[in-house]
């Protein structure tokens, strides 16, 4: 129980203070778990980060889950996730209640939140390009992926692009050097991993099938958010285009929720709390969050016992390079549609984009401050 209390204390602190998106979260986690608490060293931490970037889903949340599992077993992973995630979930549920319940959907503040999404996604795109598409070959893959996603604007089109990029990456990068992995010490083994994989794929197949026989709103939420959480590579920002296509909601309200999600600490996947609350109240919010993050738990449990083997396979690493480059292209396509096309309707809107983008990239203001500035500018231009 002592370990669980330690995990709860550390993760809750991070849940209230980790602003700035997944890249910043990785830095916060290192400070807390490697530097301050010394639960693991830099080499092991780097390998956990590599694992979580290899998996679909929210990388920073998965890093927290993996460290929690190494420290306190599967229950430790749950405690670590809860501490890091629930603060922003509760805030976004409350925000959704006020936005919808009090008719704030047409206010200048909401318009400002929609506009700031353009700057934040553009900023995230630049950072991801440097890390995931640093050379001409991978930039070309990213551009091709963006073109295909815009030409085939469906969830299955996006999945097809990711698969195709993995195949291309395998052939282009299969001769690249692969780093040796660190051995992970766990309280569960390969049998638990296999069970997790069976559950993961079983739900991925069964939920869409069950949905064809029922129009129940909660089954629809479970299917939508589980599927999105299972197949989105590249972290929180890349969830935007897939969720926008899957969730039946106006672009204005969707982007307002996305803007609000930037203003809170914790993972961007907690946008699911806002969307679920708008769709079906508190039960919808809780179910959406559960479904969105369940794949992360199953994937971490399923992969950790096998990671040392997987990490040493050059073919897997080369395919992942292609997938990561495609993720940059998918985000580029999302920057245009729905983010830019839904938010920027006038020269005043574009002026706010320029101001907020400059604050993020040149003056290095935190996203929460930039969101506040954009909401204030929207209020000044468009009124309450």
């Amino acid at each position: 129980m002592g370990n669980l209390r330690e995990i709860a204390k550390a993760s809750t602190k991070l849940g209230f203070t980790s602003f700035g998106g997944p890249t910043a979260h990785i830095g916060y986690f290192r400070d807390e778990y490697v530097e301050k608490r010394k639960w693991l060293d830099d080499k092991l931490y780097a390998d956990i980060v590599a694992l979580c970037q290899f998996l679909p889903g929210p990388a920073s949340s998965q890093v927290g889950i993996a460290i929690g599992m190494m420290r306190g077993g599967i229950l430790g992973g749950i405690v670590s996730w809860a501490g890091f995630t629930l603060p922003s979930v509760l805030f976004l549920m409350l925000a959704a209640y006020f936005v919808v319940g009090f008719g704030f959907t047409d206010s200048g503040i909401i318009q400002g939140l929609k506009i700031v999404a353009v700057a934040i996604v553009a900023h995230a795109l630049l950072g991801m390009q440097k890390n995931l598409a640093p050379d001409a070959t991978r930039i070309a893959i990213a551009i091709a992926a963006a073109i295909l996603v815009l030409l085939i604007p469906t969830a299955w089109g996006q999945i097809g692009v990711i698969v195709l990029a993995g195949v291309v990456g395998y052939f282009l990068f299969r001769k690249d050097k692969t780093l040796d992995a660190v051995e992970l010490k766990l309280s569960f083994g390969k049998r638990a991993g296999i069970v997790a994989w069976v559950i993961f794929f079983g739900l991925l197949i069964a939920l869409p099938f069950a949905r064809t026989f029922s129009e129940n709103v909660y089954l629809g939420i479970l299917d939508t958010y589980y599927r999105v959480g299972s197949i989105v590579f590249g972290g929180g920002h890349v969830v935007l285009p897939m969720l926008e296509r899957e969730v039946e909601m106006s672009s204005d309200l969707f982007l307002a929720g996305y803007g609000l999600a930037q203003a809170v600490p914790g993972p961007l996947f907690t946008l699911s709390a806002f969307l679920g609350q708008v769709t079906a109240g508190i039960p919808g919010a809780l179910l959406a969050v559960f479904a969105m993050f369940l794949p992360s738990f199953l994937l971490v449990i399923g992969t950790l016992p096998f990671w040392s083997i997987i990490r040493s396979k050059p073919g897997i690493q080369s395919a992942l390079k292609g997938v990561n480059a495609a993720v940059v292209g998918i985000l580029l396509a999302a920057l245009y549609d729905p983010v830019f096309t839904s938010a920027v309707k006038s020269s005043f809107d574009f002026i706010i984009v320029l101001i907020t983008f400059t604050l993020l990239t040149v003056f290095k203001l935190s996203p929460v401050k930039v969101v506040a500035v954009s909401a204030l500018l929207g209020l000044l231009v468009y009124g309450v």
Side-chain angles (χ1 to χ4, degrees), residues 81-153:
W81 169 83
F84 181 58
T85 305
L86 292 184
S88 58
V89 166
L90 295 173
F91 178 86
L92 288 170
M93 288 173 64
L94 189 63
Y97 172 77
F98 280 103
V99 167
V100 177
F102 292 88
F104 290 161
T105 53
D106 296 323
S107 72
I109 293 175
I110 296 301
Q111 179 62 16
L113 292 173
K114 288 163 51 185
I115 293 169
V116 78
V118 179
I120 288 173
V121 173
H123 184 244
L125 181 64
L126 289 176
M128 291 177 67
Q129 180 271 318
K130 291 177 183 177
N131 293 319
L132 304 182
D135 51 55
T137 302
R138 279 178 278 186
I139 289 173
I141 293 173
I143 297 298
I147 292 170
L148 289 173
V149 167
L150 289 171
L151 291 175
I152 313 170

Side-chain angles (χ1 to χ4, degrees), residues 109-356:
I109 293 175
I110 296 301
Q111 179 62 16
L113 292 173
K114 288 163 51 185
I115 293 169
V116 78
V118 179
I120 288 173
V121 173
H123 184 244
L125 181 64
L126 289 176
M128 291 177 67
Q129 180 271 318
K130 291 177 183 177
N131 293 319
L132 304 182
D135 51 55
T137 302
R138 279 178 278 186
I139 289 173
I141 293 173
I143 297 298
I147 292 170
L148 289 173
V149 167
L150 289 171
L151 291 175
I152 313 170
T154 65
W156 287 110
Q158 183 171 319
I159 295 168
V161 167
I162 289 173
V163 172
L164 179 61
V167 174
V168 171
Y170 172 79
F171 286 105
L172 291 179
F173 305 111
R174 66 184 185 277
K175 295 182 180 180
D176 289 3
K177 183 179 179 181
T178 303
L179 298 176
D180 294 332
V182 178
E183 193 69 34
L184 304 178
K185 295 180 180 179
L186 303 167
S187 63
F188 55 93
K190 293 178 180 179
R191 181 176 297 178
I194 292 170
V195 170
W197 279 111
V198 170
I199 296 172
F200 173 79
F201 284 111
L203 289 172
L204 199 57
I205 295 167
L207 288 174
F209 181 74
R211 194 174 177 181
T212 61
F213 295 98
S214 173
E215 295 183 359
N216 181 276
V217 65
Y218 298 114
L219 179 60
I221 289 172
L222 187 60
D223 170 45
T224 295
Y225 290 91
Y226 182 83
R227 187 157 25 90
V228 171
S230 298
I231 58 181
V232 171
F233 285 86
H237 294 286
V238 185
V239 81
L240 182 69
M242 185 168 286
L243 270 182
E244 195 270 341
R245 294 188 183 101
E246 290 280 344
V247 177
E248 295 182 3
M249 187 177 299
S250 71
S251 293
D252 289 353
L253 196 54
F254 182 89
L255 287 177
Y258 181 78
L260 284 164
Q262 306 297 325
V264 298
L268 188 55
F269 269 46
T270 54
L271 171 62
S272 56
F274 180 93
L275 301 179
Q277 175 91 12
V278 171
T279 302
I282 292 175
L286 297 177
L287 184 59
V289 171
F290 169 78
M292 193 75 159
F293 285 94
L294 178 59
S296 294
F297 279 94
L298 296 174
L299 287 166
V300 170
I301 294 169
T303 309
L304 276 177
F306 301 97
W307 181 235
S308 296
I309 300 171
I310 295 170
R311 188 78 164 88
S312 63
K313 301 296 183 183
I316 291 174
Q317 293 303 301
S318 58
L320 186 62
K321 288 181 180 179
V323 169
N324 285 339
V327 163
V328 176
I330 291 168
L331 190 59
L332 175 60
L335 176 61
Y336 171 71
D337 182 16
V339 178
F340 190 92
T341 56
S342 298
V344 180
K345 303 295 186 183
S346 70
S347 57
F348 289 109
D349 293 341
F350 193 63
I351 288 169
I352 297 175
V353 170
L354 294 176
I355 292 170
T356 52

